[in-house]
Amino acid sequence: LDSSSILADRTKQINASAIREILKAASRPGMISLAGGVPAPDSFPIEVIRKLSNKILDTYGASALQYDLTEGFPPLRTALSGYLANKEIFAEPDDILVTSGSQGALDSIGKILISPGDGVAVEAPTYLGAIQAFNPYEPKYIRLDSDDSGLIPSSLEKALSSHRVKFVYLVPNFQNPTGRTIPLERRRKIASIIIRHDVLLVEDDPYGDLRYQGSPIPGIKTMAPHHVIYISSLSKVFAPGLRIGFCLAPQFIRKWFVAAKQGVDLHTSTFNQALAAEYISGSYLSQTLPKIIRMYQPRCKTMLDALDQYFPEGFHWSRPDGGMFIWVEGPTGFDMQNVYRESLKNKVAFVPGKYFYTAKGKGLETMRLNFTMATKEELDSSVKTISEIIKDRMQVGTH
Ligand SMILES: Cc1ncc(COP(=O)(O)O)c(C=O)c1O
């Protein structure tokens, strides 16, 4: 068979994520991984899941195993309505759509909104999985500038004034890859800009509950409810393998979402949705979350302390209030890819930051460090290892 005539034109836009290869390397035995973006396995509430598995079979019987509505399992939508109300996002159960991970929502968004050549405005850097979901639909990316407080509102204003933008994609809480959070005042400005330009915003919020310090900041959804598709997930606060995500979209979009999802998977696993429903409504989430936070908070601090202690001058990093990542920027012209290769040889894996940019040649001097998977001792020693490699390379550079 001739693959070039068999594969669809758009298939060449579907690049396998380079990060998958990095994660493969990171999972080699003996490696300390700062590369992934995954929860610590010991954060999974295995005993709760065992108990709830029995309970849902008693409560829902065969209907937990049956085909169900594309929109989502009704008890989960009811539970999510209460969960979102705690974030001041007020939605009826019928307004909420359950997706197969928030990744499922991102794919539907690409499918129903992007025609080839449409402008999609994204932060630089941004979440790679969103780019992967959107790419097959052939958007044109418009890059927005960020600083330590996330998206700079004037950059959004400029982008919307000078380009036709189908939607803006943002991760306002503890962004992947930077760990940055957009402060309240900026969110208000962003909300007023998108309302004024009458443009749609996709607010992706899988990390919002993982806050280690400071107070929660209301979502942009609360400030511009008719202009925002809010998407979130239980992956980081329950178990990603269950693939439970959800979204709240303006009504004219919702029906297309449902139609698109029907063609993909009919619906998200009923059994897993029933587990999620009980996890939330039985207050297991509110009991488990503080435990997860107690696990990650000291890891975040240990990594920040190690960066302060070991990293050389000229390097700058984010100081996240939550989430899973710290973003490091080296001096202009520094090449983190070489550090990555050397670091793998020393059994430490991380992700070079260039992968999170839509433009080639950007972010060569950056890296993303994850702090949820390693122990405190490993975090300290691996940051030290990377810093020594960096110092060696800087010497190479000066000779
Ligand atoms: C910003 C962001 N959005 C979405 C996802 C997808 O998560 P899931 O599909 O497990 O909900 C991730 C996963 O890492 C993420 O970091």
Side-chain angles (χ1 to χ4, degrees), residues 99-121:
T99 55
S100 296
S102 39
Q103 197 65 33
L106 292 171
D107 176 61
S108 294
I109 286 167
K111 187 173 277 175
I112 63 180
L113 298 182
I114 304 174
S115 298
D118 275 351
V120 173

Side-chain angles (χ1 to χ4, degrees), residues 86-266:
N86 287 330
K87 298 180 189 291
E88 292 172 44
I89 296 176
F90 300 104
E92 295 298 321
D94 280 354
D95 301 337
I96 299 166
L97 302 177
V98 179
T99 55
S100 296
S102 39
Q103 197 65 33
L106 292 171
D107 176 61
S108 294
I109 286 167
K111 187 173 277 175
I112 63 180
L113 298 182
I114 304 174
S115 298
D118 275 351
V120 173
V122 297
E123 292 160 288
T126 190
Y127 169 55
L128 191 77
I131 300 299
Q132 255 194 308
F134 302 153
N135 273 353
Y137 307 104
E138 303 176 52
K140 200 175 97 229
Y141 292 107
I142 295 133
R143 283 183 304 280
L144 306 171
D145 296 329
S146 307
D147 60 16
D148 287 345
S149 302
L151 172 68
I152 302 169
S154 59
S155 158
L156 178 64
E157 176 72 55
K158 195 166 144 221
L160 297 183
S161 305
S162 50
H163 296 88
R164 281 174 65 92
V165 169
K166 220 11 161 2
F167 63 86
V168 181
Y169 170 75
L170 290 184
V171 184
N173 286 320
F174 322 127
Q175 194 231 25
N176 181 1
T178 62
R180 292 169 183 155
T181 293
I182 304 177
L184 181 62
E185 211 31 59
R186 274 198 188 183
R187 291 185 192 213
R188 290 206 179 110
K189 283 196 182 129
I190 292 166
S192 85
I193 293 169
I194 60 162
I195 291 171
R196 186 154 32 80
H197 286 269
D198 202 22
V199 74
L200 188 66
L201 170 71
V202 176
E203 179 175 28
D204 185 6
D205 185 26
Y207 299 105
D209 284 345
L210 295 180
R211 176 172 277 280
Y212 314 137
Q213 59 189 22
S215 318
I217 306 172
I220 302 172
K221 177 76 180 168
T222 64
M223 302 163 192
H226 303 297
H227 287 80
V228 176
I229 301 180
Y230 178 85
I231 69 181
S232 185
S233 169
L234 297 186
S235 287
K236 317 293 177 181
V237 294
F238 188 17
L242 297 173
R243 311 303 304 129
I244 303 293
F246 48 95
C247 90
L248 197 52
Q251 198 174 359
F252 74 96
I253 291 177
R254 214 180 300 149
K255 69 172 189 191
W256 297 109
F257 237 101
V258 175
K261 182 172 169 62
Q262 242 162 28
V264 175
D265 60 3
L266 297 180

